[in-house]
Amino acid sequence: MFDNKESFKDMFKKELVSQLGKPVLQATHADVYRILGMLIRERIGPDWANTNQSLQAAKARQVYYFSMEFLIGRQLGNNLLNLGVLEMVRDGLEELGFDLAAAEEEENDPGLGNGGLGRLAACFLDSLAAQQLPGHGCGIRYRYGLFEQKIIDGHQVELPDYWLQRGNVWEVCREDKKVEVRFGGQVHMSERENRLQIELTDYESIWAIPYDIPVVGSGSSHVNTLRLWSARPGNEPIKPLASKDGSYYNYLNYYRSVESISEFLYPDDSEYEGKQLRLKQQYFLCSAGLQSVLRTYDKLGLPVQSLPDKVAVHINDTHPTLVIPELMRILLDEKGCSWEQAWHITTRTVSYTNHTTLSEALEKWPAGMLKQLLPRIYMIIEEINTRFCAMLLQRYPGEQERISQLAIIYGDQIRMANLAIAGSYSVNGVAALHTEILKNREMKVFYELYPEKFNNKTNGISHRRWLIHANPELARLITEAIGTRWIAQPQEMIGLIKYAGDPGFMEKITEVRRNNKLKLAKYVQEKLSIHIDPDSIFDVQAKRLHAYKRQLLNVLHMMHLYNQLKDNPSADIVPRTFLFSAKAAPGYYLAKSIIKLINTVADAVNRDHAVREKMKVVFLENYSVSLAEKIIPAADISEQISTAGKEASGTGNMKFMMNGSITIGTLDGANVEMHQMLGDDNMFLFGLNAKQVMEHNQKGDYCPRHIYEVDSRVKEVMDQLIHPGRFCAEGQHFEAIYQSVLHHQDEFFVLKDFSSYVEAHLQIDLAYRNASEWTKKSIMNIAHSGKFSSDQTIREYASGIWRIEPHVT
Ligand code: 26V
């Protein structure tokens, strides 16, 4: 393969001519991207095969991370980085007259996830491979990722995201490894040789086709696999129900319904909705994934009882909980296990991560729907529930209330979190505070039943993608200061503390950060024709739009600031640029209204020449991994302002911190752990804490109307939501937003935290004036961010939950 620049250049030129039949000079950026993809794939291939072979030969214990989402981001840059050839390829291309950055922009960003949960799965894969841990992803190859967002007239408009349009160089279709997944049908039971025989008839049968993507370990030859499944009728469809009468049109309908299973990713909504197609997707993932795991296991020639010694199956939230009854089905119906044996194996194989405490987001499937779609799986869930409740009756005689809270099937609903906890050996939350809330509140009865299952694993992020790749100038500067060890061991960044007062280093870091701001300013100018001042404070909130994340609090503060500037145009404030980026679920009316409000405020502010030197508001459309990589390195302020107790962890908070932004935040999620390290000097805290929020909720004593009446700043901005004037044109108003915070007992405490939020922003303004103190804070943030490396998180999962070890080939 290419070991040096010259051999790379030779290979590149040869490949270009042979694959595309073009002279080098005529190659486009897209051609460069494609050829690089092919070369890298060729280079990865042998290591990939070796890793698999060697894991198999060593009978190594492996983890399979099941997730409905893998938000992997663009692959080219990261693969070059992890292979250790980034600089060489960049230089080589430059000598040939090409620009690597431009080629990178040609890659479609696969949006196979909604936000934090999907991105976490991707960071985990990166960290598993980097540490040579045998761990693979198992997911769905959606033909359409999360919708593409356009802002038209201030409103969000959704377009389909056909990310596969130009093919995908990173995947390999493994047609030979397809498996069959069955839906519907009738279950027949009979007895043969004293054993219960189960047969399913008249089912709908579909093929699951795996597409494998290599996950390259940074600095080693270890390559794991992300296996994404696609639903297809296959060349010789097996017993399609709809084609029984032989009609060609029925046949086509059958084809379409099969393909719809892996057609698109569901957007995460404000409230969970039990949609049948989503249930189909979940079972499709679980059944296909498990069959392939067991096929690999079977090759080891070990008895099925040893499965938990060799295989760990992890479920990312409750979405893949059907692995539990599906594993039971395979063990009972296909491997001939007794119920007790099967349950013993299953509950030692599966572990589960919870990602939310919002009760409205908890998955519950209507029993009737599940029964019709998956009759055998339903029988197994019923049996799990019956045995579970019998055990509870023994343990808690007479405690009806407690037992009904624990039950897996309750009324007409199947509670997936209850099934996940009952059927797994480990349950973890994603930040210290979140885990405590699970144990003491949301899942208290389960914690009392199974205290040994509960544990915390604070989330992390890949410093390779979010620092080295996204912010190469900063990475270089860190290496200049403390050497290269931090690259393999990001905790070593703590060594930067001693540079927090070093004038030379401070000057350099200021320059790097300013360059990043200039780059983002250029992007904003190109995309939106808005000029933003690189010397203003870049104040950024970029994340999914949801009421609990309180983008609205941010908007109300902006409106207030603008009102102040109108009252006093010569007010002495440090110029601010407020940047937003966020997608709202298509059916989430309130969230979409908030997007419109942000854009309405942006229009009013940006049009006003009187404040142009002091304030700008920008909404960047279509937030995605690649856009995040542009925004985050340029942020001075990171807005992490969720209502305390609602954000399980947050991972954006960690990405901003690692890039030297300073957080304004509540004591929520992982912000709590950030604050423990950084202290009050290096973070701007405000608002109620989780305990206070809970107490208000218990007492029911929060009265937003009272705040509206006594705080004139609040009254002014609230009234501006519904009356024409500074922001709203005649006939335009934001009634729903107004009502949501004033007339209902706003569970997100927006007005309650307003005053302390405004105060925290005043502190930011003051602090920014002292440039060297600000830079020190920024350095302190970077220095402490190693704790949030997903390498560390994964080590904790590996030793504390999965019991897997690094494998050296
Ligand atoms: C729910 C639904 C329901 C309807 C269909 C689509 C869909 C997709 C995802 C979800 C679950 C959302 C849960 C989630 O994303 N939690 C986030 O997980 C992050 C990683 O642990 C964490 O940092 C965030 O705080 C948490 O909100």
Side-chain angles (χ1 to χ4, degrees):
M1 286 287 108
F2 44 92
D3 315 310
N4 59 52
K5 196 166 62 187
E6 291 314 314
S7 66
F8 162 70
K9 279 161 58 185
D10 279 348
M11 285 188 71
F12 183 85
K13 283 189 285 191
K14 269 194 208 122
E15 192 85 355
L16 194 82
V17 175
S18 65
Q19 292 287 341
L20 303 177
K22 266 191 188 177
V24 175
L25 281 174
Q26 281 176 23
T28 63
H29 296 315
D31 295 334
V32 174
Y33 165 68
R34 244 184 84 190
I35 297 305
L36 279 178
M38 289 175 176
L39 285 176
I40 292 168
R41 233 174 61 173
E42 273 174 44
R43 180 170 168 135
I44 296 171
D47 286 344
W48 200 4
N50 278 343
T51 306
N52 279 331
Q53 226 163 31
S54 157
L55 286 172
Q56 186 81 13
K59 302 192 177 184
R61 181 175 160 83
Q62 310 198 40
V63 63
Y64 298 89
Y65 195 85
F66 279 60
S67 177
M68 288 286 280
E69 307 187 8
F70 285 94
L71 196 48
I72 54 179
R74 288 176 175 156
Q75 296 295 290
L76 174 60
N78 251 130
N79 277 333
L80 289 171
L81 181 70
N82 288 348
L83 289 168
V85 297
L86 181 67
E87 304 282 316
M88 182 181 88
V89 165
R90 184 187 291 126
D91 294 350
L93 284 177
E94 206 176 294
E95 287 173 21
L96 294 171
F98 298 117
D99 177 18
L100 176 61
E104 282 188 63
E105 288 296 322
E106 291 295 323
E107 179 169 356
N108 283 323
D109 186 346
L112 307 186
N114 270 286
L117 170 140
R119 183 55 228 176
L120 185 75
C123 284
F124 279 4
L125 292 184
D126 185 66
S127 288
L128 279 162
Q131 296 173 93
Q132 296 174 270
L133 287 161
H136 314 282
C138 186
I140 295 180
R141 181 180 178 269
Y142 301 105
R143 222 139 55 91
Y144 296 88
L146 188 64
F147 64 86
E148 183 188 333
Q149 179 195 52
K150 288 248 178 269
I151 300 297
I152 297 178
D153 196 19
H155 293 281
Q156 165 174 301
V157 173
E158 302 95 22
L159 299 174
D161 163 52
Y162 188 33
W163 68 289
L164 289 166
Q165 203 164 30
R166 291 184 291 175
N168 177 13
V169 276
W170 308 111
E171 69 185 10
V172 185
C173 176
R174 306 249 191 240
E175 184 82 39
D176 56 316
K177 299 211 165 134
K178 67 186 175 190
V179 299
E180 185 197 16
V181 178
R182 299 170 173 189
F183 290 100
Q186 276 98 46
V187 181
H188 302 272
M189 287 189 266
S190 57
E191 212 183 290
R192 207 180 305 153
E193 291 159 18
N194 261 341
R195 291 203 60 88
L196 188 65
Q197 297 285 318
I198 302 283
E199 202 197 346
L200 194 66
T201 58
D202 288 332
Y203 52 86
E204 185 176 68
S205 171
I206 62 161
W207 288 121
I209 316 285
Y211 287 73
D212 288 355
I213 298 176
V215 185
V216 177
S218 166
S220 78
S221 53
H222 191 94
V223 184
N224 287 325
T225 302
L226 168 58
R227 174 161 284 183
L228 300 180
W229 296 92
S230 179
R232 238 189 20 213
N235 295 333
E236 8 155 30
I238 358 172
K239 293 197 234 164
L241 270 187
S243 76
K244 271 199 298 199
D245 65 359
S247 139
Y248 176 65
Y249 292 105
N250 280 344
Y251 216 74
L252 290 185
N253 277 337
Y254 157 75
Y255 263 56
R256 282 172 53 129
S257 82
V258 168
E259 283 182 338
S260 73
I261 294 174
S262 51
E263 192 86 340
F264 71 94
L265 165 74
Y266 273 96
D268 171 12
D269 225 321
S270 58
E271 278 194 29
Y272 166 76
E273 262 188 279
K275 294 244 169 64
Q276 202 205 25
L277 183 56
R278 168 102 175 150
L279 180 59
K280 267 189 147 171
Q281 291 185 334
Q282 295 186 349
Y283 182 67
F284 174 73
L285 165 67
C286 294
S287 179
L290 264 186
Q291 289 184 61
S292 121
V293 168
L294 287 171
R295 196 139 77 178
T296 306
Y297 175 76
D298 284 343
K299 288 195 204 133
L300 300 180
L302 297 170
V304 75
Q305 282 76 7
S306 308
L307 185 76
D309 300 332
K310 296 292 171 194
V311 169
V313 169
H314 196 85
I315 56 177
N316 196 23
D317 216 323
T318 54
H319 318 151
T321 300
L322 292 175
V323 294
I324 292 165
E326 175 67 359
L327 182 54
M328 288 295 288
R329 182 192 68 78
I330 296 173
L331 295 171
L332 292 166
D333 301 356
E334 294 176 13
K335 306 282 180 190
C337 291
S338 68
W339 182 275
E340 289 72 18
Q341 281 173 330
W343 188 243
H344 188 81
I345 293 171
T346 302
T347 52
R348 271 155 196 75
T349 302
V350 180
S351 49
Y352 154 60
T353 298
N354 172 285
H355 293 269
T356 186
T357 54
L358 302 181
S359 51
E360 64 271 25
L362 291 182
E363 287 192 295
K364 297 171 215 70
W365 290 106
M369 185 196 288
L370 207 143
K371 188 173 184 177
Q372 191 212 345
L373 194 67
L374 306 164
R376 177 61 182 142
I377 292 298
Y378 181 75
M379 285 170 67
I380 292 171
I381 296 174
E382 253 191 337
E383 184 65 22
I384 294 174
N385 184 53
T386 305
R387 289 173 184 244
F388 183 59
C389 289
M391 179 274 286
L392 293 174
L393 272 170
Q394 292 256 316
R395 176 146 178 180
Y396 302 117
E399 291 192 53
Q400 257 327 306
E401 172 59 27
R402 180 188 291 268
I403 296 174
S404 62
Q405 280 176 43
L406 289 160
I408 294 165
I409 305 180
Y410 190 71
D412 178 43
Q413 303 217 294
I414 303 179
R415 298 159 164 172
M416 300 311 268
N418 297 30
L419 178 56
I421 302 173
S424 57
Y425 65 87
S426 166
V427 178
N428 75 282
V430 289
L433 173 68
H434 171 59
T435 303
E436 286 312 304
I437 291 175
L438 288 181
K439 294 200 295 195
N440 303 323
R441 224 164 65 201
E442 242 55 47
M443 296 182 165
K444 188 165 189 284
V445 285
F446 273 103
Y447 178 58
E448 284 162 355
L449 178 63
Y450 300 125
E452 71 289 350
K453 288 192 187 185
F454 283 75
N455 61 93
N456 176 248
K457 296 286 171 281
T458 299
N459 282 168
I461 56 166
S462 162
H463 65 293
R464 284 170 291 277
R465 179 169 291 265
W466 294 108
L467 176 50
I468 304 173
H469 183 255
N471 199 346
E473 301 296 319
L474 178 58
R476 202 163 302 140
L477 196 56
I478 296 173
T479 301
E480 239 178 67
I482 61 171
T484 54
R485 273 169 45 141
W486 71 277
I487 296 173
Q489 268 139 15
Q491 296 92 310
E492 299 276 326
M493 280 196 282
I494 200 72
L496 287 172
I497 289 183
K498 64 171 183 287
Y499 292 87
D502 178 315
F505 185 76
M506 287 165 70
E507 198 178 305
K508 285 188 204 152
I509 206 164
T510 309
E511 194 190 326
V512 164
R513 292 190 47 75
R514 192 164 191 284
N515 275 340
N516 292 337
K517 289 170 79 174
L518 275 172
K519 265 195 243 163
L520 183 63
K522 186 163 169 267
Y523 181 84
V524 170
Q525 180 73 49
E526 280 165 14
K527 290 277 167 186
L528 296 164
S529 308
I530 299 174
H531 170 75
I532 59 175
D533 173 8
D535 294 317
S536 64
I537 301 176
F538 281 17
D539 182 330
V540 182
Q541 188 167 17
K543 51 178 79 248
R544 281 302 288 267
L545 214 143
H546 202 295
Y548 83 82
K549 296 180 189 279
R550 296 201 295 192
Q551 278 92 353
L552 181 56
L553 180 57
N554 191 343
V555 184
L556 295 181
H557 168 251
M558 291 194 309
M559 291 168 71
H560 165 63
L561 190 64
Y562 182 63
N563 288 336
Q564 280 189 314
L565 286 174
K566 294 311 282 177
D567 291 349
N568 177 12
S570 58
D572 176 25
I573 70 156
V574 181
R576 280 278 179 131
T577 302
F578 294 94
L579 293 126
F580 290 85
S581 199
K583 288 181 181 178
Y588 190 175
Y589 179 74
L590 187 70
K592 290 177 118 177
S593 309
I594 293 170
I595 290 182
K596 174 64 182 167
L597 177 61
I598 295 170
N599 287 310
T600 303
V601 173
D603 278 349
V605 171
N606 300 344
R607 244 190 289 118
D608 185 347
H609 284 245
V611 304
R612 63 191 291 178
E613 308 289 317
K614 300 213 163 131
M615 184 175 176
K616 285 277 164 66
V617 181
V618 172
F619 188 102
L620 287 166
E621 68 185 8
N622 205 33
Y623 193 52
S624 55
V625 173
S626 44
L627 184 54
E629 290 177 48
K630 294 185 173 71
I631 296 175
I632 293 171
D636 295 304
I637 285 290
S638 154
E639 298 268 355
Q640 307 300 337
I641 60 177
S642 52
T643 312
K646 302 272 181 193
E647 187 71 272
S649 160
T651 43
N653 45 3
M654 303 168 184
K655 293 163 199 165
F656 283 98
M657 177 187 183
M658 196 175 269
N659 281 276
S661 321
I662 298 163
T663 303
I664 176 169
T666 47
L667 276 176
D668 198 15
N671 296 356
V672 176
E673 287 153 83
M674 282 168 58
H675 180 249
Q676 275 163 5
M677 293 186 293
L678 294 169
D680 289 337
D681 286 348
N682 299 304
M683 225 176 138
F684 298 94
L685 281 190
F686 75 97
L688 297 175
N689 62 32
K691 187 158 165 271
Q692 292 166 325
V693 167
M694 192 187 69
E695 281 165 3
H696 281 301
N697 281 333
Q698 276 166 355
K699 291 192 202 139
D701 64 353
Y702 172 46
C703 178
R705 167 109 346 228
H706 177 69
I707 298 174
Y708 169 86
E709 272 155 13
V710 300
D711 189 333
S712 59
R713 303 165 304 179
V714 170
K715 183 166 189 325
E716 184 177 23
V717 293
M718 288 304 293
D719 289 347
Q720 285 170 328
L721 291 176
I722 51 168
H723 298 311
R726 227 164 239 169
F727 301 105
C728 299
E730 202 63 52
Q732 185 191 33
H733 53 78
F734 293 92
E735 190 71 33
I737 298 179
Y738 180 85
Q739 298 291 349
S740 79
V741 293
L742 256 193
H743 282 185
H744 308 285
Q745 266 224 354
D746 169 29
E747 59 174 314
F748 305 111
F749 295 87
V750 173
L751 299 188
K752 181 81 185 166
D753 280 349
F754 180 79
S755 180
S756 102
Y757 184 60
V758 171
E759 177 54 33
H761 271 294
L762 287 172
Q763 296 304 321
I764 289 173
D765 183 288
L766 270 181
Y768 197 80
R769 290 165 197 255
N770 187 338
S772 74
E773 281 303 309
W774 188 272
T775 305
K776 273 188 199 167
K777 291 181 203 299
S778 176
I779 296 170
M780 290 299 276
N781 271 270
I782 302 167
H784 286 92
S785 67
K787 172 188 154 71
F788 295 120
S789 151
S790 47
D791 289 5
Q792 175 58 29
T793 312
I794 277 299
R795 274 196 293 277
E796 289 168 19
Y797 274 88
S799 62
I801 301 181
W802 300 327
R803 290 176 285 112
I804 54 168
E805 275 163 11
H807 178 86
V808 184
T809 34

